[in-house]
């Protein structure tokens, strides 16, 4: 049974949407580099402290999903539990990433579209809240933020021929589909929606410069820990 929770568009907080736009920028970068287009941003106290994208093809490493790539750079400066940190990611974390997020004690996860094949936040397995796991406390995971944009990025990627695949498939006859069905769970409880809005509003109050009046403007990148290829550079925090 699909247990993923989606927030209705009219109930989505502008602060959450703003950070998801930054995650989409990272996903676009992944697409430009022939990676599965997933991007993420980790936010604490209204500031991005880490951001990353998929690098599995680049480094021939199936574990280098965006979330794990960012966590590698995050942990030396932010020891667990990460209960005061929110992750914004364009696609629902897979089972592997959801498990890692629970182990480091992430506070909240906001994602774009569901992961129907490998989702670990309710679409396939409920790693985020399952009482069967004893690795740290559960975390809130809500989806639907720029869901259509995240889906279209994935479709654009799978329209192309993946030369890194063991047996690349010819896709010259494929047509990009633009019709997007509604999420599997269209009913969202008022308490879940209120909780998500309250969390986002709290983050906004800590950083008044990110007001709703500026929500449609590109958000600054200052104050982040940029993701870099392993073994090449020592990660340092950018100056705002």
């Amino acid at each position: 049974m699909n247990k993923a929770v989606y927030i209705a568009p009219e109930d989505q907080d502008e602060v959450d949407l703003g950070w998801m736009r930054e995650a989409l920028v990272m996903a676009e970068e992944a697409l430009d580099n022939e990676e599965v287009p997933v991007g993420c941003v980790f936010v604490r106290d209204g500031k991005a402290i880490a951001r990353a994208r998929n690098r599995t093809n680049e480094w021939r490493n199936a574990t280098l999903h965006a979330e794990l790539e960012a966590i590698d750079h995050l942990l030396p400066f932010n020891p667990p539990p990460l209960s005061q940190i929110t992750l914004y990611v364009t696609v629902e974390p897979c089972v592997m990433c959801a498990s890692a997020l629970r182990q480091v004690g992430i506070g909240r996860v906001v994602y774009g579209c569901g992961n129907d094949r490998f989702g670990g936040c309710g679409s396939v397995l409920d790693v985020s809240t399952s009482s069967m796991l004893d690795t740290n406390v559960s975390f809130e995971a809500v989806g639907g933020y720029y869901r259509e944009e995240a889906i279209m990025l994935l479709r654009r990627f799978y329209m192309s021929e993946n030369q890194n695949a063991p047996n690349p498939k010819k896709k010259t006859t494929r047509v990009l589909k633009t019709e997007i069905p509604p999420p599997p769970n269209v009913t969202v409880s008022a308490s879940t929606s209120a909780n998500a809005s309250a969390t986002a509003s709290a983050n906004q109050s800590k950083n008044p410069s990110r007001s709703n009046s500026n929500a449609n403007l590109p958000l600054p990148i200052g104050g982040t820990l940029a993701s870099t290829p392993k073994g090449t550079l020592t990660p340092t925090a950018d100056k705002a």
Side-chain angles (χ1 to χ4, degrees):
M1 178 180 177
N2 192 321
K3 296 182 179 180
V5 176
Y6 291 87
I7 302 299
E10 61 271 19
D11 293 326
Q12 294 174 8
D13 190 277
E14 291 291 349
V15 174
D16 287 333
L17 291 169
W19 286 117
M20 187 59 74
R21 287 197 295 274
E22 291 210 16
L24 285 167
V25 170
M26 298 305 298
E28 285 277 6
E29 181 182 312
L31 182 64
D32 291 341
N33 286 272
E34 300 182 346
E35 299 277 0
V36 176
V38 179
C40 71
V41 182
F42 284 76
V43 177
R44 184 183 61 195
D45 296 335
K47 294 183 179 180
I49 58 174
R51 66 188 72 211
R53 60 170 176 84
N54 272 9
R55 292 183 183 272
T56 57
N57 289 333
E58 179 182 349
W59 291 97
R60 302 293 194 273
N61 186 337
T63 70
L64 287 184
H65 290 193
E67 302 95 320
L68 298 188
E69 173 76 1
I71 286 174
D72 280 350
H73 296 283
L74 184 70
L75 290 183
F77 306 94
N78 301 271
L82 309 182
S83 57
Q84 301 303 311
I85 295 176
T86 296
L87 163 65
Y88 295 89
V89 60
T90 56
V91 178
E92 175 189 359
C94 69
V95 172
M96 173 182 69
C97 291
S99 177
L101 290 166
R102 185 156 176 176
Q103 289 181 55
V104 298
I106 195 70
R108 178 174 177 246
V109 172
V110 178
Y111 61 89
C113 64
N115 187 338
D116 295 337
R117 297 183 65 187
F118 309 109
C121 296
S123 290
V124 178
L125 292 180
D126 190 19
V127 176
S128 54
T129 62
S130 175
S131 59
M132 297 177 65
L133 301 176
D134 59 1
T135 54
N136 240 317
V137 298
S138 61
F139 61 87
E140 176 191 22
V142 292
Y145 294 77
Y146 286 112
R147 174 175 175 267
E148 292 79 8
E149 288 78 358
I151 289 175
M152 290 308 298
L153 279 172
L154 292 171
R155 288 183 178 179
R156 284 165 56 194
F157 173 79
Y158 288 111
M159 281 286 294
S160 61
E161 295 182 15
N162 183 4
Q163 298 302 320
N164 295 296
N167 297 298
K169 298 178 180 179
K170 297 295 182 181
K171 302 180 180 179
T172 55
T173 60
R174 289 194 178 183
V175 177
L176 181 63
K177 297 180 180 179
T178 58
E179 183 178 347
I180 298 175
N185 296 338
V186 295
T187 302
V188 179
S189 67
S191 59
T192 300
S193 179
N195 187 19
S197 296
T199 303
S201 297
N203 289 338
Q204 181 177 342
S205 65
K206 295 176 183 178
N207 191 0
S209 63
R210 295 185 184 275
S211 63
N212 284 352
S213 61
N214 293 326
N216 293 325
L217 299 177
L219 295 177
I221 300 180
T224 69
L225 177 66
S227 172
T228 56
K230 289 182 172 58
T232 58
L233 297 175
T234 301
T236 56
D238 296 339
K239 295 182 180 180

